[in-house]
Amino acid sequence: MKSGPLNLILFGPPGAGKGTQAKQLIEKYGIPQISTGEIMREAISSGSELGKKVQSFVQSGGLVPDKLVLDIFQSRLDKPDCVKGFILDGFPRTIPQAQGLEEILLSRKSTITGVLAVMVPDEDLIKRLTGRRICKNPACGASYHVDFSPSKKNGFCDQCNGELYQRKDDSFEVISNRLKVYHDQTSPLIEHYEGKKILYKVDGSGKIEVIFQKLCDIINGLTH
Ligand code: AP5
Ligand code: MG
Protein backbone atom coordinates (compact mmCIF):
# COMPACT_ATOMS: atom_id res chain seq x y z
CA MET A 1 0.00 0.00 0.00
CA LYS A 2 1.46 3.37 -1.06
CA SER A 3 1.44 6.03 1.64
CA GLY A 4 1.17 9.81 1.31
CA PRO A 5 -1.68 12.00 0.16
CA LEU A 6 -3.94 11.01 -2.74
CA ASN A 7 -3.64 14.02 -5.06
CA LEU A 8 -5.86 13.46 -8.09
CA ILE A 9 -6.75 15.54 -11.12
CA LEU A 10 -10.15 14.78 -12.64
CA PHE A 11 -9.63 16.09 -16.14
CA GLY A 12 -12.09 16.46 -19.00
CA PRO A 13 -14.00 18.86 -21.25
CA PRO A 14 -17.03 20.86 -20.06
CA GLY A 15 -19.85 18.40 -19.37
CA ALA A 16 -17.62 15.31 -19.22
CA GLY A 17 -19.07 14.44 -15.81
CA LYS A 18 -16.22 15.71 -13.60
CA GLY A 19 -18.56 17.19 -11.01
CA THR A 20 -20.91 14.18 -11.07
CA GLN A 21 -18.06 11.73 -10.53
CA ALA A 22 -16.17 13.93 -8.04
CA LYS A 23 -19.19 14.09 -5.71
CA GLN A 24 -19.16 10.26 -5.48
CA LEU A 25 -15.38 9.90 -5.31
CA ILE A 26 -15.05 12.26 -2.33
CA GLU A 27 -17.49 10.06 -0.39
CA LYS A 28 -15.54 6.91 -1.20
CA TYR A 29 -12.00 8.21 -0.68
CA GLY A 30 -12.60 10.79 2.09
CA ILE A 31 -10.76 13.61 0.34
CA PRO A 32 -12.26 16.95 -0.78
CA GLN A 33 -13.22 18.04 -4.29
CA ILE A 34 -11.61 21.32 -5.33
CA SER A 35 -13.64 22.77 -8.19
CA THR A 36 -12.29 26.16 -9.25
CA GLY A 37 -15.52 26.67 -11.23
CA GLU A 38 -17.67 26.13 -8.10
CA ILE A 39 -15.46 28.47 -6.05
CA MET A 40 -15.89 31.14 -8.73
CA ARG A 41 -19.67 30.68 -9.04
CA GLU A 42 -20.02 31.01 -5.24
CA ALA A 43 -17.88 34.18 -5.32
CA ILE A 44 -20.04 35.64 -8.11
CA SER A 45 -23.30 34.92 -6.31
CA SER A 46 -21.99 36.39 -3.04
CA GLY A 47 -20.91 39.59 -4.86
CA SER A 48 -17.38 39.43 -3.36
CA GLU A 49 -14.30 41.21 -4.81
CA LEU A 50 -13.18 37.88 -6.30
CA GLY A 51 -16.63 37.43 -7.82
CA LYS A 52 -16.45 40.85 -9.51
CA LYS A 53 -13.03 40.01 -10.97
CA VAL A 54 -14.04 36.65 -12.46
CA GLN A 55 -17.67 37.26 -13.50
CA SER A 56 -17.11 38.37 -17.11
CA PHE A 57 -14.77 35.45 -17.84
CA VAL A 58 -17.03 32.79 -16.35
CA GLN A 59 -20.23 34.08 -17.95
CA SER A 60 -18.69 34.29 -21.43
CA GLY A 61 -17.06 30.85 -21.13
CA GLY A 62 -13.53 32.24 -21.30
CA LEU A 63 -10.74 31.37 -18.90
CA VAL A 64 -10.00 33.35 -15.75
CA PRO A 65 -6.33 34.56 -15.78
CA ASP A 66 -3.83 31.94 -14.60
CA LYS A 67 -2.36 33.98 -11.73
CA LEU A 68 -5.78 34.51 -10.16
CA VAL A 69 -6.69 30.81 -10.52
CA LEU A 70 -3.40 29.72 -8.93
CA ASP A 71 -4.01 32.09 -5.98
CA ILE A 72 -7.52 30.63 -5.54
CA PHE A 73 -6.11 27.10 -5.58
CA GLN A 74 -3.31 27.90 -3.15
CA SER A 75 -5.64 29.36 -0.54
CA ARG A 76 -7.99 26.36 -0.87
CA LEU A 77 -5.05 23.97 -0.45
CA ASP A 78 -4.18 25.65 2.86
CA LYS A 79 -7.42 24.36 4.41
CA PRO A 80 -6.88 21.42 6.76
CA ASP A 81 -9.17 19.01 4.88
CA CYS A 82 -6.54 18.75 2.11
CA VAL A 83 -3.92 16.95 4.23
CA LYS A 84 -4.95 13.49 2.97
CA GLY A 85 -5.18 14.71 -0.63
CA PHE A 86 -7.75 16.21 -3.02
CA ILE A 87 -9.64 15.76 -6.26
CA LEU A 88 -9.07 18.68 -8.61
CA ASP A 89 -12.08 19.35 -10.85
CA GLY A 90 -11.59 21.87 -13.67
CA PHE A 91 -8.05 22.82 -12.62
CA PRO A 92 -5.45 22.99 -14.12
CA ARG A 93 -6.79 24.19 -17.48
CA THR A 94 -3.68 25.61 -19.15
CA ILE A 95 -0.01 24.61 -19.33
CA PRO A 96 1.04 27.58 -17.10
CA GLN A 97 -1.57 26.47 -14.51
CA ALA A 98 -0.16 22.92 -14.60
CA GLN A 99 3.35 24.26 -14.10
CA GLY A 100 2.17 26.54 -11.28
CA LEU A 101 0.43 23.58 -9.63
CA GLU A 102 3.62 21.48 -9.83
CA GLU A 103 5.63 24.30 -8.20
CA ILE A 104 3.10 24.78 -5.40
CA LEU A 105 3.08 21.04 -4.63
CA LEU A 106 6.87 20.75 -4.89
CA SER A 107 7.26 23.57 -2.34
CA ARG A 108 5.14 21.37 -0.01
CA LYS A 109 7.17 18.25 -0.87
CA SER A 110 4.12 16.79 -2.59
CA THR A 111 3.18 15.74 -6.10
CA ILE A 112 0.25 14.66 -8.33
CA THR A 113 -0.63 10.97 -7.86
CA GLY A 114 -2.57 10.59 -11.11
CA VAL A 115 -4.60 12.38 -13.77
CA LEU A 116 -7.92 10.74 -14.69
CA ALA A 117 -9.04 12.04 -18.08
CA VAL A 118 -12.74 11.52 -18.80
CA MET A 119 -13.20 11.56 -22.59
CA VAL A 120 -16.59 12.34 -24.22
CA PRO A 121 -17.33 13.43 -27.83
CA ASP A 122 -18.40 17.08 -28.35
CA GLU A 123 -21.91 16.24 -29.63
CA ASP A 124 -22.69 14.39 -26.38
CA LEU A 125 -21.23 17.25 -24.30
CA ILE A 126 -23.62 19.75 -25.87
CA LYS A 127 -26.63 17.51 -25.02
CA ARG A 128 -25.37 17.02 -21.47
CA LEU A 129 -24.77 20.72 -20.81
CA THR A 130 -27.99 22.10 -22.30
CA GLY A 131 -30.03 19.65 -20.18
CA ARG A 132 -28.08 19.99 -16.93
CA ARG A 133 -29.83 21.16 -13.75
CA ILE A 134 -27.99 21.80 -10.47
CA CYS A 135 -29.05 21.96 -6.83
CA LYS A 136 -28.99 25.57 -5.54
CA ASN A 137 -27.96 24.49 -2.04
CA PRO A 138 -24.19 25.21 -1.96
CA ALA A 139 -23.64 22.43 0.60
CA CYS A 140 -25.13 19.93 -1.90
CA GLY A 141 -24.61 21.06 -5.51
CA ALA A 142 -25.87 17.75 -6.94
CA SER A 143 -26.04 17.65 -10.73
CA TYR A 144 -29.03 16.28 -12.70
CA HIS A 145 -30.02 16.02 -16.34
CA VAL A 146 -33.55 16.52 -17.66
CA ASP A 147 -33.30 13.33 -19.80
CA PHE A 148 -30.26 11.29 -18.66
CA SER A 149 -30.55 11.60 -14.87
CA PRO A 150 -33.72 13.47 -13.86
CA SER A 151 -34.58 14.16 -10.22
CA LYS A 152 -37.62 12.28 -8.90
CA LYS A 153 -39.53 15.44 -8.00
CA ASN A 154 -39.41 17.81 -10.97
CA GLY A 155 -37.32 20.94 -10.19
CA PHE A 156 -36.09 19.74 -6.77
CA CYS A 157 -33.05 17.84 -5.51
CA ASP A 158 -33.47 14.17 -4.45
CA GLN A 159 -30.81 14.53 -1.79
CA CYS A 160 -31.70 17.76 0.04
CA ASN A 161 -34.94 18.96 -1.64
CA GLY A 162 -33.11 22.14 -2.75
CA GLU A 163 -34.38 23.99 -5.83
CA LEU A 164 -32.72 23.07 -9.13
CA TYR A 165 -31.39 25.75 -11.51
CA GLN A 166 -29.66 26.04 -14.87
CA ARG A 167 -26.16 27.54 -14.99
CA LYS A 168 -25.89 30.85 -16.89
CA ASP A 169 -22.98 29.47 -18.94
CA ASP A 170 -25.09 26.49 -20.10
CA SER A 171 -26.65 28.43 -22.99
CA PHE A 172 -25.81 27.10 -26.47
CA GLU A 173 -23.61 30.12 -27.44
CA VAL A 174 -21.54 30.00 -24.25
CA ILE A 175 -21.20 26.20 -24.45
CA SER A 176 -19.75 26.55 -27.98
CA ASN A 177 -17.16 28.98 -26.67
CA ARG A 178 -16.31 26.76 -23.68
CA LEU A 179 -15.70 23.81 -26.02
CA LYS A 180 -13.48 25.92 -28.28
CA VAL A 181 -11.49 27.16 -25.28
CA TYR A 182 -11.15 23.55 -24.09
CA HIS A 183 -9.77 22.33 -27.42
CA ASP A 184 -7.43 25.32 -27.86
CA GLN A 185 -6.06 25.81 -24.35
CA THR A 186 -6.89 22.85 -22.11
CA SER A 187 -6.58 19.70 -24.26
CA PRO A 188 -2.76 20.18 -24.64
CA LEU A 189 -2.58 19.08 -20.99
CA ILE A 190 -3.32 15.51 -22.14
CA GLU A 191 0.05 15.34 -23.87
CA HIS A 192 1.69 17.17 -20.95
CA TYR A 193 0.58 14.50 -18.47
CA GLU A 194 1.12 11.63 -20.90
CA GLY A 195 4.75 12.77 -21.03
CA LYS A 196 4.92 12.49 -17.25
CA LYS A 197 3.36 8.99 -17.41
CA ILE A 198 0.60 9.87 -14.93
CA LEU A 199 -2.34 10.10 -17.37
CA TYR A 200 -5.17 7.52 -17.29
CA LYS A 201 -7.85 7.88 -19.98
CA VAL A 202 -11.40 6.74 -19.25
CA ASP A 203 -14.25 6.50 -21.77
CA GLY A 204 -16.80 8.91 -20.29
CA SER A 205 -19.73 7.75 -22.46
CA GLY A 206 -22.17 5.30 -20.90
CA LYS A 207 -23.67 4.89 -17.46
CA ILE A 208 -22.54 7.09 -14.57
CA GLU A 209 -22.07 4.01 -12.30
CA VAL A 210 -19.94 2.20 -14.90
CA ILE A 211 -17.66 5.22 -15.33
CA PHE A 212 -17.43 5.57 -11.53
CA GLN A 213 -16.29 1.95 -11.24
CA LYS A 214 -13.63 2.47 -13.91
CA LEU A 215 -12.33 5.54 -12.04
CA CYS A 216 -12.25 3.59 -8.76
CA ASP A 217 -10.31 0.74 -10.40
CA ILE A 218 -7.65 3.19 -11.56
CA ILE A 219 -7.46 4.94 -8.18
CA ASN A 220 -7.21 1.61 -6.35
CA GLY A 221 -4.36 0.66 -8.68
CA LEU A 222 -2.58 3.90 -7.79
CA THR A 223 -2.83 3.31 -4.06
CA HIS A 224 -1.94 -0.41 -3.85
P1 AP5 B 1 -16.32 24.56 -14.43
O1 AP5 B 1 -17.32 24.76 -13.37
O2 AP5 B 1 -15.10 23.82 -14.14
O3 AP5 B 1 -17.06 23.98 -15.70
P2 AP5 B 1 -16.59 22.99 -16.87
O4 AP5 B 1 -15.20 22.54 -16.86
O5 AP5 B 1 -17.04 23.71 -18.08
O6 AP5 B 1 -17.30 21.70 -16.59
P3 AP5 B 1 -18.78 21.50 -16.14
O7 AP5 B 1 -18.93 21.79 -14.71
O8 AP5 B 1 -19.68 22.23 -17.10
O9 AP5 B 1 -18.97 19.94 -16.48
P4 AP5 B 1 -18.66 18.65 -15.59
O10 AP5 B 1 -17.57 17.92 -16.24
O11 AP5 B 1 -18.50 18.99 -14.14
O12 AP5 B 1 -20.00 17.85 -15.85
P5 AP5 B 1 -21.20 17.44 -14.86
O13 AP5 B 1 -20.77 16.38 -13.93
O14 AP5 B 1 -21.87 18.63 -14.28
O15 AP5 B 1 -15.85 26.00 -14.98
C1 AP5 B 1 -16.77 27.01 -15.29
C2 AP5 B 1 -16.04 28.30 -15.72
O16 AP5 B 1 -15.23 28.78 -14.63
C3 AP5 B 1 -15.06 28.14 -16.89
O17 AP5 B 1 -15.72 28.24 -18.15
C4 AP5 B 1 -14.10 29.31 -16.63
O18 AP5 B 1 -14.65 30.54 -17.03
C5 AP5 B 1 -13.99 29.31 -15.12
N1 AP5 B 1 -12.89 28.44 -14.62
C6 AP5 B 1 -13.03 27.35 -13.83
N2 AP5 B 1 -11.83 26.77 -13.59
C7 AP5 B 1 -10.92 27.53 -14.24
C8 AP5 B 1 -9.52 27.43 -14.40
N3 AP5 B 1 -8.81 26.43 -13.83
N4 AP5 B 1 -8.89 28.36 -15.15
C9 AP5 B 1 -9.56 29.39 -15.72
N5 AP5 B 1 -10.90 29.54 -15.63
C10 AP5 B 1 -11.58 28.61 -14.89
O19 AP5 B 1 -22.18 16.75 -15.94
C11 AP5 B 1 -22.78 17.51 -16.98
C12 AP5 B 1 -24.21 17.00 -17.24
O20 AP5 B 1 -24.14 15.70 -17.80
C13 AP5 B 1 -25.08 16.87 -15.99
O21 AP5 B 1 -26.39 17.20 -16.33
C14 AP5 B 1 -24.98 15.38 -15.61
O22 AP5 B 1 -26.14 14.93 -14.96
C15 AP5 B 1 -24.83 14.74 -16.98
N6 AP5 B 1 -24.00 13.53 -16.97
C16 AP5 B 1 -22.89 13.29 -16.24
N7 AP5 B 1 -22.40 12.08 -16.51
C17 AP5 B 1 -23.20 11.54 -17.47
C18 AP5 B 1 -23.21 10.29 -18.17
N8 AP5 B 1 -22.29 9.35 -17.94
N9 AP5 B 1 -24.20 10.08 -19.08
C19 AP5 B 1 -25.16 11.04 -19.32
N10 AP5 B 1 -25.19 12.22 -18.66
C20 AP5 B 1 -24.23 12.47 -17.77
MG1 MG C 1 -18.48 20.77 -13.01
Side-chain angles (χ1 to χ4, degrees), residues 15 17-20 33 35 37-38 41 89-90 132 143 167 178:
K18 304 182 293 295
T20 303
Q33 169 196 15
S35 161
E38 278 182 19
R41 279 187 291 282
D89 162 1
R132 171 168 55 187
S143 190
R167 262 169 57 176
R178 286 161 62 199

XYZ file of all heavy atoms in Angstrom, residues 15 17-20 33 35 37-38 41 89-90 132 143 167 178, ligand 2:
119
model
N -18.757 19.366 -19.229
C -19.851 18.401 -19.365
C -19.407 16.952 -19.372
O -20.227 16.048 -19.516
N -18.597 15.165 -16.981
C -19.068 14.436 -15.805
C -18.095 14.559 -14.633
O -18.177 13.789 -13.674
N -17.210 15.540 -14.682
C -16.222 15.714 -13.603
C -16.920 15.933 -12.262
O -16.599 15.283 -11.272
C -15.288 16.908 -13.902
C -14.559 16.819 -15.237
C -13.622 17.997 -15.454
C -14.306 19.340 -15.612
N -15.159 19.476 -16.803
N -17.867 16.888 -12.260
C -18.562 17.193 -11.013
C -19.373 16.004 -10.514
O -19.327 15.654 -9.330
N -20.085 15.345 -11.424
C -20.914 14.179 -11.069
C -20.051 13.094 -10.429
O -20.406 12.540 -9.378
C -21.571 13.614 -12.360
O -22.316 14.654 -12.983
C -22.456 12.434 -12.070
N -13.224 17.612 -2.886
C -13.223 18.040 -4.291
C -12.836 19.518 -4.298
O -13.366 20.299 -3.510
C -14.644 17.887 -4.839
C -14.889 18.527 -6.193
C -16.398 18.685 -6.495
O -17.224 18.577 -5.578
N -16.733 18.927 -7.726
N -13.157 22.345 -6.875
C -13.643 22.774 -8.186
C -13.454 24.287 -8.275
O -14.141 25.039 -7.582
C -15.120 22.408 -8.345
O -15.701 23.187 -9.378
N -14.280 26.120 -10.677
C -15.518 26.673 -11.229
C -16.545 26.922 -10.128
O -17.178 27.983 -10.075
N -16.699 25.953 -9.198
C -17.673 26.127 -8.102
C -17.260 27.276 -7.185
O -18.097 28.062 -6.749
C -17.810 24.832 -7.282
C -18.760 23.855 -7.940
C -18.976 22.568 -7.139
O -18.701 22.533 -5.922
O -19.425 21.590 -7.758
N -18.213 30.431 -9.003
C -19.672 30.684 -9.035
C -20.168 31.150 -7.665
O -21.009 32.045 -7.576
C -20.435 29.434 -9.483
C -20.437 29.251 -11.007
C -21.337 28.125 -11.443
N -20.834 26.825 -11.041
C -19.849 26.162 -11.654
N -19.251 26.684 -12.703
N -19.452 24.977 -11.217
N -11.023 19.418 -9.835
C -12.079 19.349 -10.849
C -12.054 20.677 -11.606
O -12.393 21.720 -11.050
C -13.404 19.103 -10.111
C -14.648 19.423 -10.939
O -14.528 19.831 -12.104
O -15.761 19.281 -10.385
N -11.619 20.643 -12.856
C -11.588 21.870 -13.667
C -10.340 22.706 -13.479
O -10.280 23.845 -13.915
N -28.528 20.119 -18.333
C -28.085 19.994 -16.930
C -28.904 20.883 -15.998
O -29.245 22.004 -16.318
C -26.613 20.399 -16.813
C -26.177 20.494 -15.350
C -24.702 20.595 -15.189
N -24.106 21.687 -15.932
C -22.792 21.858 -16.032
N -21.975 21.018 -15.451
N -22.313 22.863 -16.713
N -25.820 17.343 -9.327
C -26.044 17.653 -10.731
C -27.029 16.640 -11.321
O -26.900 15.437 -11.103
C -24.682 17.552 -11.422
O -24.740 18.038 -12.720
N -27.299 26.614 -15.016
C -26.157 27.538 -14.990
C -26.245 28.532 -16.139
O -26.625 28.171 -17.238
C -24.848 26.743 -15.101
C -24.193 26.513 -13.765
C -23.071 25.527 -13.807
N -21.989 25.806 -14.726
C -20.888 25.071 -14.828
N -20.730 24.024 -14.032
N -19.951 25.368 -15.689
N -17.029 27.578 -24.679
C -16.308 26.756 -23.684
C -15.628 25.570 -24.356
O -14.502 25.205 -23.995
C -17.285 26.273 -22.594
C -17.683 27.394 -21.645
C -18.956 27.080 -20.883
N -18.847 25.919 -20.027
C -19.896 25.241 -19.562
N -21.133 25.601 -19.876
N -19.709 24.196 -18.788
Mg -18.478 20.766 -13.013
